[in-house]
Amino acid sequence: MNPLTGARIILGVSGGIAAYKAADLASKLVQAGAVVDVVLTRGAAAFIRPLTFQALTKRPVHDDVFEAWTEHSSGHVSLAAEADLLIVAPASANTIARLALGLADDFLGLLSLSTRAPLLLAPAMEHNMYLHAATRENIATLRDRGAAVVGPERGHLASGAEGEGRLSPVTTIIGAARQLLGRAGSLAGRYVVVTAGGTQEPLDPVRYLGNRSSGTMGFALAQAALDRGAAVTLVSGPTRLQSPVGARFVSVQTAAEMQNAVLSATESADVLIMAAAVSDFRPATSSHQKLKKSSLSDGPTVQLVENPDIVGSLIRPGLLKIGFAAETDDLLIHAAAKLHAKGLALIVANDAVATIGRDDSQAVLIEADRPPTVLPLLHKPDLASRIVDRIGELLQEVRE
Ligand code: C5P
């Protein structure tokens, strides 16, 4: 399950032009199922109206500096106690300084001292302010106290300058929030390596032998493992997908490169999930120059050699290996054979044509000593959740 679902999040918005982006962040958090209480600093209220957030979150917005001393005097205490996460986005230089000092003369200051929820800061400011020693030291102080910091990023700033100071994209802030909320989850302390996408085997510098895998399933599995507190390395063939926030991302092209990456990443791993569509064969030779039509005129032939079976040949005691079987016929028979041949704890079997490149999939989970679990048609993130939950149980069984 997505750790944002049902999470109580306080979104502190401070004064800066990026405050308008906090509206999108609030909206996306709500869409992900979080209950969001927005607190505006005095500076933020100059940039954006509370009504915007009220409409998006369907909850009252706290923007009154004196609220804590009036009839709502216990408001910040209960809000602070119920919060699972405090996000400050954008975090201005002023708000960062105030949080570092522990000032409590506004609602956000009161809340941040009262709550024991983790703090996620997304700084945004003019780059000279960000690079100033005072700001750097204040951020370092907050980090030392356990705050997570996302961004800022380099790029166009409202001043017209280019530099480090842009608020991280909303998707990045949300990814960091997921990771913080999930950190005590069922895979906390575990290290999971996931492979994703299809490999590409070059014929020449511009052509390759490949497949239609989009990487969606592997990326969803990496996110699901992060959501449950695992440390994750994602080894992926070429894809346009964004690596989930918090994953160590290793980009590869060929099966041989993927094998090397998997070998080194799994040295200390608990789990390997091979969701990649690894090319079983590669061209025996790959030309350094682009092949010309004239040189192939008497009927091109491509000689193929077999690639190593990455998961099948990997023998590491204690490593839980999970594989996938995308088949076009006799699904369960072929998948069960691969489970045994490759020494897998679990294989996820599905119909190749109905799955590859799609957003949803109907899968069967097959293990050696258990009847198959037939899952309904699910969106790949939901399927990934089911698979990763089962992996958590398997790890538990090994431990017991
Ligand atoms: O044999 P087949 O390719 O159908 O097996 C699928 C499973 O084996 C997947 O988990 C896939 O990632 C993995 N595999 C591998 N190395 C290969 C081919 C497939 O690890 N060369």
Side-chain angles (χ1 to χ4, degrees), residues 274-276 278-280 307-312 323-324 327 338 342:
M274 277 298 299
V278 185
S279 183
D280 290 324
N307 271 328
D309 186 322
I310 300 174
V311 73
F324 277 71
E327 307 289 341
K338 284 177 189 176
K342 294 174 191 253

Side-chain angles (χ1 to χ4, degrees), residues 280-322:
D280 290 324
F281 297 94
R282 66 177 183 276
T285 54
S286 164
S287 167
H288 291 299
Q289 279 152 352
K290 188 179 166 195
L291 296 169
K292 302 285 181 302
K293 219 189 278 183
S294 55
S295 70
L296 303 169
S297 56
D298 51 347
T301 42
V302 178
Q303 183 90 37
L304 298 177
V305 292
E306 204 169 334
N307 271 328
D309 186 322
I310 300 174
V311 73
S313 61
L314 182 70
I315 297 163
R316 283 206 202 287
L319 178 71
L320 202 71
K321 297 194 296 180
I322 316 298

Side-chain angles (χ1 to χ4, degrees), residues 6-366:
R8 291 289 309 262
I9 295 180
I10 301 171
L11 173 59
V13 181
S14 57
I17 185 61
Y20 78 93
K21 296 180 184 172
D24 187 32
L25 175 59
S27 169
K28 297 273 162 49
L29 289 169
V30 170
Q31 287 173 49
V35 178
V36 182
D37 287 282
V38 173
V39 179
L40 299 181
T41 65
R42 206 192 317 243
F47 282 96
I48 189 161
R49 306 282 300 152
L51 185 61
T52 305
F53 292 103
Q54 244 158 39
L56 292 169
T57 63
K58 316 277 187 297
R59 298 185 59 85
V61 169
H62 308 269
D63 65 335
D64 184 353
V65 240
F66 301 110
E67 188 175 353
W69 289 279
T70 64
E71 68 273 21
H72 305 292
S73 61
S74 63
H76 76 276
V77 177
S78 53
L79 204 55
E82 286 159 14
D84 297 307
L85 178 65
L86 169 60
I87 305 178
V88 181
S92 65
N94 179 49
T95 289
I96 288 170
R98 295 165 57 77
L99 293 175
L101 273 177
L103 297 185
D105 60 350
D106 74 353
F107 202 75
L108 184 59
L110 281 165
L111 263 177
S112 62
L113 291 182
S114 314
T115 188
R116 293 295 166 260
L119 169 63
L120 173 61
L121 288 174
M125 65 199 73
E126 206 274 318
H127 69 297
N128 283 328
M129 293 175 79
Y130 177 63
L131 294 176
H132 195 284
T135 306
R136 314 289 312 197
E137 283 167 24
N138 287 329
I139 291 178
T141 300
L142 291 166
R143 271 191 204 274
D144 285 348
R145 284 189 208 139
V149 182
V150 55
E153 301 211 345
R154 174 169 283 282
H156 171 82
L157 303 173
S159 61
E162 284 282 315
E164 221 176 340
R166 272 176 78 82
L167 185 72
S168 282
V170 165
T171 48
T172 308
I173 300 172
I174 289 192
R178 282 176 89 135
Q179 213 192 349
L180 279 172
L181 288 167
R183 65 186 176 173
S186 57
L187 294 183
R190 301 295 195 167
Y191 176 29
V192 178
V193 177
V194 184
T195 66
T199 61
Q200 295 181 352
E201 310 295 334
L203 282 155
D204 69 16
V206 293
R207 304 184 179 95
Y208 61 84
L209 206 66
N211 59 65
R212 290 174 208 247
S213 170
S214 64
T216 313
M217 193 66 230
F219 278 58
L221 286 158
Q223 180 67 68
L226 287 163
D227 284 346
R228 287 156 183 77
V232 174
T233 291
L234 175 58
V235 180
S236 176
T239 164
R240 291 182 176 194
L241 300 175
Q242 280 278 327
S243 175
V245 175
R248 188 173 75 92
F249 187 69
V250 183
S251 168
V252 296
Q253 189 191 1
T254 63
E257 286 172 17
M258 183 169 279
Q259 184 177 38
N260 285 337
V262 166
L263 276 175
S264 73
T266 50
E267 263 171 32
S268 56
D270 299 293
V271 184
L272 168 64
I273 311 178
M274 277 298 299
V278 185
S279 183
D280 290 324
F281 297 94
R282 66 177 183 276
T285 54
S286 164
S287 167
H288 291 299
Q289 279 152 352
K290 188 179 166 195
L291 296 169
K292 302 285 181 302
K293 219 189 278 183
S294 55
S295 70
L296 303 169
S297 56
D298 51 347
T301 42
V302 178
Q303 183 90 37
L304 298 177
V305 292
E306 204 169 334
N307 271 328
D309 186 322
I310 300 174
V311 73
S313 61
L314 182 70
I315 297 163
R316 283 206 202 287
L319 178 71
L320 202 71
K321 297 194 296 180
I322 316 298
F324 277 71
E327 307 289 341
T328 53
D329 54 279
D330 292 329
L331 180 64
L332 297 189
I333 295 168
H334 284 128
K338 284 177 189 176
L339 178 84
H340 296 292
K342 294 174 191 253
L344 306 174
L346 164 69
I347 192 158
V348 183
N350 48 27
D351 183 295
V353 178
T355 296
I356 292 178
R358 302 289 179 91
D359 290 335
D360 40 30
S361 172
Q362 197 271 308
V364 184
L365 308 189
I366 302 173

